[in-house]
Amino acid sequence: MVPRLTTALNGPLLELERKFLDHTTTIEQWFRMQWLDHLPPFYGSVDLRNSGYKLAPVDTNLFPGGFNNLNPAFLPLCVQAANAAVERICPDAQQLLLIPENHTRNQFYLQNVARLVSLLGHTGLTVRIGSLLPEVTTPTRIELANGESLLLEPLVRKGSRLGLDGFDPCAILLNNDLSAGVPEILQGLDGQWLIPPLHAGWHQRRKSGHFAAYDQVANGFAERLGLDPWLLNPYFGRCGQINFHERTGEDCLAGQVDMLLTRIRAKYKEYGVDEKPFVIVKADAGTYGMGVMTVHDASEVKDLNRRQRNKMSVVKEGMQVTEVIIQEGVHTFETISGGVAEPVVYMIDHYVVGGFYRVNNDRGRDENLNAPGMHFEPLAFDSPCSVPDCRQAPDEGPNRFYAYGVVARLALLAASVELEQTAPAEAVVA
């Protein structure tokens, strides 16, 4: 099922998709050479927005939590990609420790953990789950709504190694984004692969750093194909000294908003886009759609009411927002059954393994869809995003999904570059 693209402004996007189809060999060769120089993250997911004249990533998650939303038919593809990732990082691995988020009451997230355990088990690994929750002092089984169950076990630290009672793994896979910082039990590990590395967590990582790396990647890719990089790259700015409660940093924020809107208007004029430009202001470190607002004019960030300031000041784990990214808003003109939709593409290693649509009937095409009222269409991608069909039109299912996969892989490559640039010295040596 391809969502309806409800805009007449699909000419430039169809041209972009046609360019991808006409240059698939060049694209795949380019990616192959890039992955020789850069180690891909173990896994990741990318939120895309499709405006009919632009297809761009708006967020990249290095601790993806929605594997339960993928088409079950893609499980063999996931297993094959996970095998490649394991062979690349720790080829002699037999045991893997999975450390999830502390969402023991979130059934959807727990089903994601169960799906991860299942697909990693199919690679020949013995996978067990270690919990960071202090109340998990003995093995604790959690029943899931779909009839499955998970066994959470207390972590055991012995010297510089981490495992469980009677379980000493080669690798530790984090499905926890470390928003509140790195727990002491995860610090100073030696002789074990920690995946992703600790500096990928939101205690250190910044969205602005990711999109700076994406600038490099997108510009190189666009030059190779003879494209305007703006067609697949959102403008962005950053403010690093913000306090929404005390109303400090407003001048920086308003200045960045005004600068970006001016640049966007110029591009809209160049491409004949008759839409109202907007930007998204969001926490520079964070997830779960918290600390996000849509802005159409610089004056709006100087007149926030108490409710808006409270919403913007705190994100996951109660962390205070002091840094924000101001990102070009990309309208999403894709709809499913009347609800505004955006594609989310999942990858393991450097392979696209599927995706789904995030749909929100309560939000507009210029708003954040990762909010109350959203739901997922898990069967929307009825074929993988990696195989185009040049005999069909650019916006037919396999070809539009291929375009999604190309842009998502650009974002994943940017994440690889980002992690290389932010790695501590000892990690680079390792």
Side-chain angles (χ1 to χ4, degrees):
M1 177 172 59
V2 181
R4 187 182 175 198
L5 188 61
T6 54
T7 175
L9 295 167
N10 57 11
L13 183 66
L14 290 180
E15 292 172 14
L16 177 65
E17 293 174 337
R18 171 55 64 189
K19 181 80 81 168
F20 287 171
L21 288 180
D22 291 344
H23 293 82
T24 55
T25 300
T26 300
I27 289 171
E28 298 309 320
Q29 289 175 348
W30 185 87
F31 272 118
R32 189 179 305 117
M33 297 305 297
Q34 297 301 311
W35 292 125
L36 290 176
D37 294 332
H38 304 286
L39 177 69
F42 184 87
Y43 55 11
S45 66
V46 177
D47 296 354
L48 302 174
R49 303 277 287 206
N50 185 350
S51 62
Y53 50 86
K54 182 174 184 131
L55 176 61
V58 293
D59 205 7
T60 300
N61 187 0
L62 297 181
F63 304 87
F67 280 94
N68 55 306
N69 294 316
L70 298 183
N71 186 335
F74 292 167
L75 183 59
L77 188 60
C78 293
V79 172
Q80 185 178 26
N83 254 321
V86 172
E87 290 171 3
R88 185 193 301 270
I89 296 172
C90 189
D92 59 348
Q94 298 180 10
Q95 298 179 328
L96 181 137
L97 176 64
L98 175 62
I99 299 180
E101 296 278 1
N102 295 334
H103 302 322
T104 54
R105 295 183 181 179
N106 186 328
Q107 283 284 321
F108 297 111
Y109 174 73
L110 293 176
Q111 289 173 27
N112 156 75
V113 174
R115 178 64 64 86
L116 272 174
V117 171
S118 174
L119 73 89
L120 290 169
H122 284 297
T123 67
L125 292 171
T126 299
V127 183
R128 289 165 66 175
I129 306 170
S131 176
L132 290 169
L133 288 169
E135 60 267 29
V136 177
T137 58
T138 60
T140 303
R141 187 165 296 279
I142 298 179
E143 301 298 329
L144 306 185
N146 62 1
E148 298 181 75
S149 66
L150 292 175
L151 183 66
L152 304 185
E153 300 183 69
L155 294 168
V156 176
R157 178 74 180 255
K158 291 184 178 179
S160 61
R161 295 184 69 85
L162 182 65
L164 308 173
D165 185 22
F167 189 74
D168 184 23
C170 161
I172 301 167
L173 180 63
L174 293 175
N175 200 239
N176 184 309
D177 63 24
L178 306 177
S179 291
V182 181
E184 185 176 354
I185 199 170
L186 292 179
Q187 298 177 17
L189 298 178
D190 187 28
Q192 292 173 298
W193 283 98
L194 194 58
I195 314 165
L198 291 179
H199 65 279
W202 283 124
H203 66 291
Q204 181 172 337
R205 185 174 180 239
R206 296 294 180 267
K207 296 177 188 291
S208 55
H210 173 73
F211 281 97
Y214 185 78
D215 269 349
Q216 301 173 39
V217 170
N219 288 342
F221 177 81
E223 182 180 4
R224 186 75 176 84
L225 265 67
L227 290 171
D228 179 353
W230 178 76
L231 294 173
L232 43 83
N233 190 8
Y235 292 144
F236 76 96
R238 178 182 179 274
C239 286
Q241 296 293 328
I242 295 287
N243 189 313
F244 285 99
H245 284 309
E246 297 180 5
R247 312 192 80 153
T248 58
E250 287 185 348
D251 289 339
C252 169
L253 187 54
Q256 288 288 333
V257 168
D258 189 56
M259 179 271 292
L260 285 177
L261 288 174
T262 299
R263 295 181 69 191
I264 298 167
R265 289 189 193 100
K267 277 297 182 182
Y268 279 16
K269 182 177 181 181
E270 178 183 344
Y271 282 94
V273 177
D274 187 21
E275 294 291 336
K276 186 175 183 179
F278 69 101
V279 298
I280 298 293
V281 178
K282 53 188 175 183
D284 206 10
T287 185
Y288 291 102
M290 302 175 71
V292 180
M293 65 184 294
T294 301
V295 178
H296 296 88
D297 188 87
S299 63
E300 296 173 24
V301 299
K302 287 193 171 185
D303 300 317
L304 300 180
N305 57 39
R306 182 186 297 272
R307 180 173 177 273
Q308 290 170 318
R309 293 200 305 272
N310 287 339
K311 173 187 173 184
M312 291 298 298
S313 63
V314 178
V315 290
K316 184 188 173 190
E317 306 282 358
M319 301 301 292
Q320 295 293 313
V321 174
T322 59
E323 303 166 278
V324 296
I325 180 174
I326 306 94
Q327 187 179 66
E328 175 188 349
V330 181
H331 297 85
T332 178
F333 286 102
E334 292 183 298
T335 62
I336 292 179
S337 302
V340 178
E342 64 183 13
V344 183
V345 177
Y346 270 60
M347 289 157 289
I348 298 177
D349 198 81
H350 63 283
Y351 301 100
V352 174
V353 296
F356 51 84
Y357 284 92
R358 179 183 288 114
V359 185
N360 199 318
N361 293 78
D362 301 328
R363 292 295 178 110
R365 66 193 188 196
D366 62 352
E367 294 182 284
N368 170 41
L369 303 187
N370 189 4
M374 71 174 176
H375 67 278
F376 302 104
E377 295 288 342
L379 300 181
F381 287 6
D382 55 7
S383 63
C385 304
S386 54
V387 183
D389 184 350
C390 295
R391 297 169 300 178
Q392 299 189 47
D395 57 345
E396 290 296 323
N399 296 332
R400 175 143 292 168
F401 297 160
Y402 177 71
Y404 292 160
V406 169
V407 178
R409 283 184 287 165
L410 291 175
L412 190 76
L413 178 58
S416 177
V417 172
E418 169 198 359
L419 293 180
E420 292 167 4
Q421 294 173 342
T422 58
E426 59 272 19
V428 174
V429 172

